[in-house]
Amino acid sequence: ENGRVKAGYKYTDEDVADLRRNVDLLPVREKTIIKEYFKGKSMSDIARENKSSRQWISRIYNDAVVKLRRAMA
């Protein structure tokens, strides 16, 4: 359903483990951006640390999310 989680869905330990495995399979740059974002860093902060534009980091992040959704579908 558009890659969105149904309201009220509870993540299981298996879901989290599956996500971690799939994140680890991403190319290094995508994996780094995903992990930094989920640590609470903003796209702007990640961009600054990587000497890139926020738009470029956002694009890499979105590409990674698409790959993760497909892998976990």
Side-chain angles (χ1 to χ4, degrees):
E1 292 166 21
N2 292 342
R4 306 240 183 250
V5 176
K6 292 180 185 177
Y9 182 82
K10 302 290 184 203
Y11 292 103
T12 65
D13 290 341
E14 186 177 329
D15 292 331
V16 174
D18 193 30
L19 177 60
R20 285 187 175 143
R21 276 191 299 275
N22 282 291
V23 167
D24 285 339
L25 295 174
L26 292 170
V28 173
R29 180 169 244 181
E30 291 176 359
K31 179 180 3 183
T32 300
I33 291 168
I34 289 287
K35 286 183 175 184
E36 292 301 306
Y37 183 77
F38 282 102
K39 287 179 184 175
K41 290 188 180 179
S42 70
M43 293 289 174
S44 295
D45 289 339
I46 297 169
R48 190 170 28 263
E49 291 170 4
N50 288 279
K51 297 178 177 57
S52 298
S53 70
R54 189 201 56 75
Q55 292 84 0
W56 183 245
I57 295 300
S58 180
R59 180 176 177 179
I60 294 169
Y61 171 84
N62 287 327
D63 289 348
V65 169
V66 167
K67 289 178 183 178
L68 291 170
R69 285 182 178 154
R70 286 182 183 150
M72 297 179 70

